[in-house]
Amino acid sequence: MGDARLGNRIRAFRKLKGYTQQSLAEEMGVSLALVGSLERGTKTPSERVLRKIASTLQVELEELCAITDKKGL
């Protein structure tokens, strides 16, 4: 999956769950800059970070990384 597409999915799930970039970063224990870079697709997350994002947003890792799904995200 391209980084931009993953970044768009992270952003969509973040907004769907009511998080700001800042609140997601704080909940995950990472910097705001990292969350922004991931959403813009300028940084590729490690598997550990992907798992942390999925856990924080309460979505399955497979759903977060899927190219398309039933929700159209």
Side-chain angles (χ1 to χ4, degrees):
M1 168 186 293
D3 293 341
R5 193 173 305 170
L6 176 59
N8 288 336
R9 290 185 63 77
I10 292 169
R11 179 181 300 113
F13 277 114
R14 173 181 59 77
K15 288 181 176 185
L16 185 68
K17 299 294 182 164
Y19 283 93
T20 63
Q21 284 186 342
Q22 181 68 44
S23 64
L24 179 60
E26 289 172 3
E27 186 72 24
M28 290 177 54
V30 299
S31 70
L32 174 60
L34 175 62
V35 172
S37 294
L38 294 174
E39 288 189 3
R40 285 189 306 278
T42 58
K43 199 166 242 202
T44 302
S46 66
E47 182 179 344
R48 183 184 68 76
V49 169
L50 272 177
R51 288 186 184 282
K52 193 169 221 171
I53 293 168
S55 174
T56 302
L57 296 177
Q58 298 177 334
V59 298
E60 295 293 325
L61 182 61
E62 294 78 15
E63 188 177 8
L64 180 65
C65 296
I67 293 173
T68 59
D69 67 4
K70 295 174 187 164
K71 295 178 185 163
L73 297 173

